[in-house]
Amino acid sequence: MHNHLVNNYKVLLFTLLVTLIFSSCRTLLFPQPKPSQSSKMRVSDPNLSNEEYVMRLLADKWPADSLNTAINADYLDDDEKNIILAHNLVRYDPARFARLYVNEYIGYFQGNEFHYPGISTIMITREGVEPALELYTELMRTRPMGLLYPSDGLSLAAQTHVNYLCERGIRGHGRQGGMRRRIERFGEWTDRIAENIAYGSFSAHDAVLYLLIDDQVYNRSHRRIILDPQLHLAGTAKDKHPAYPTGYTYVINYATGFSKHSE
């Protein structure tokens, strides 16, 4: 009888130990969102100037001045500068970005509907909150990487494409010979190039989160581009698309290296 009780006790201890180890490993492998850690600064609000965006980021304890690599790019407007700054936030500290801003966005989902405070338009998603939860887990395990720096040549390539799409009310990365030909009209690139397009985003920060969440893009290709450590330069441009009146449509072109053609 005594041996039977001892054996049961050992089994109970072993089961408890295995449960604790599994729980710890699960937490490490699949970090869970914590809404209490969300930012309250509303950095996705529409119409923030670059200075206003930086001030809100500073309040969230980011080294925003050093991450604002496009501040002196006079060929970009404030919103376009904010696009590059938003990229640099997630590349500089992916886990912090997840805790502050992905957590925030997770709280705005109601089923397949996305409700941003103060925005009357409700975005209807295909996958609901699941891609945002997946993004949170991925960013919590992603290592920091180098910043993106602005490129006027890549911005010119982005401008030609966003204007083309918006004037015709169409979508896509094709037309005008495709991404590679559009970029090569303005210079020579090295190693890698890529392109992201965000349609009808109400702010630059929202556009980057939209691309990171990547609803209905099952290989998450837009997310992979933003988190590609081999890309070092970016150019961007925006325009109003007739099919997406909720905000601006942004084209972002990326490259490892780029030399603009001399004028």
Side-chain angles (χ1 to χ4, degrees):
M1 183 71 169
H2 177 71
N3 287 340
H4 179 69
L5 289 173
V6 169
N7 287 336
N8 282 347
Y9 181 67
K10 288 180 177 178
V11 170
L12 183 61
L13 279 178
F14 178 77
T15 303
L16 181 60
L17 182 62
V18 169
T19 301
L20 287 172
I21 292 172
F22 177 77
S23 178
S24 298
C25 289
R26 182 178 177 82
T27 301
L28 289 172
L29 293 173
F30 303 102
Q32 298 301 301
K34 297 179 181 178
S36 62
Q37 297 180 345
S38 298
S39 169
K40 303 300 186 291
M41 294 309 301
R42 297 275 296 273
V43 298
S44 286
D45 279 356
N47 304 316
L48 293 181
S49 69
N50 185 245
E51 182 179 1
E52 289 169 329
Y53 187 37
V54 166
M55 292 301 293
R56 295 192 187 194
L57 294 174
L58 289 171
D60 271 339
K61 310 301 183 186
W62 290 96
D65 290 328
S66 61
L67 301 181
N68 194 20
T69 57
I71 187 171
N72 294 319
D74 56 6
Y75 50 87
L76 300 177
D77 70 15
D78 277 14
D79 217 28
E80 293 161 350
K81 292 176 182 179
N82 291 349
I83 279 279
I84 294 178
L85 176 50
H87 278 74
N88 284 339
L89 297 176
V90 68
R91 289 168 68 95
Y92 174 79
D93 193 337
R96 181 173 178 77
F97 188 95
R99 288 192 296 268
L100 288 174
Y101 307 127
V102 181
N103 259 328
E104 178 190 358
Y105 264 44
I106 286 169
Y108 298 151
F109 282 91
Q110 298 177 24
N112 279 18
E113 296 180 355
F114 181 84
H115 299 250
Y116 187 81
I119 302 294
S120 58
T121 302
I122 297 170
M123 181 189 298
I124 305 301
T125 68
R126 295 296 182 92
E127 297 182 75
V129 74
E130 289 306 314
L133 295 171
E134 170 200 298
L135 172 63
Y136 179 90
T137 299
E138 181 175 343
L139 291 182
M140 291 298 290
R141 300 184 302 198
T142 299
R143 294 180 178 180
M145 63 201 75
L147 303 182
L148 291 177
Y149 290 85
S151 163
D152 57 344
L154 291 174
S155 294
L156 288 170
Q159 189 74 64
T160 62
H161 194 49
V162 76
N163 291 348
Y164 186 91
L165 296 178
C166 293
E167 286 168 5
R168 292 162 178 78
I170 58 177
R171 292 175 56 109
H173 298 277
R175 315 299 175 97
Q176 303 186 85
M179 175 189 69
R180 177 172 177 169
R181 184 169 293 180
R182 290 195 307 272
I183 289 175
E184 289 178 346
R185 289 194 191 108
F186 297 96
E188 297 180 0
W189 57 274
T190 57
D191 294 337
R192 304 184 69 167
I193 52 173
E195 183 174 78
N196 276 335
I197 306 174
Y199 295 91
S201 299
F202 49 83
S203 71
H205 192 94
D206 175 68
V208 173
L209 268 159
Y210 165 86
L211 293 166
L212 284 165
I213 291 170
D214 236 2
D215 179 67
Q216 206 191 357
V217 181
Y218 297 109
N219 66 354
R220 311 301 187 212
S221 57
H222 302 97
R223 183 189 305 173
R224 288 191 287 109
I225 289 171
I226 292 173
L227 299 176
D228 186 343
Q230 296 186 46
L231 297 171
H232 306 305
L233 299 173
T236 185
K238 69 179 187 184
D239 201 351
K240 283 284 190 177
H241 196 295
Y244 302 94
T246 52
Y248 283 101
T249 290
Y250 301 85
V251 172
I252 309 119
N253 287 137
Y254 310 81
T256 303
F258 188 82
S259 297
K260 183 183 175 185
H261 290 321
S262 57
E263 296 180 358

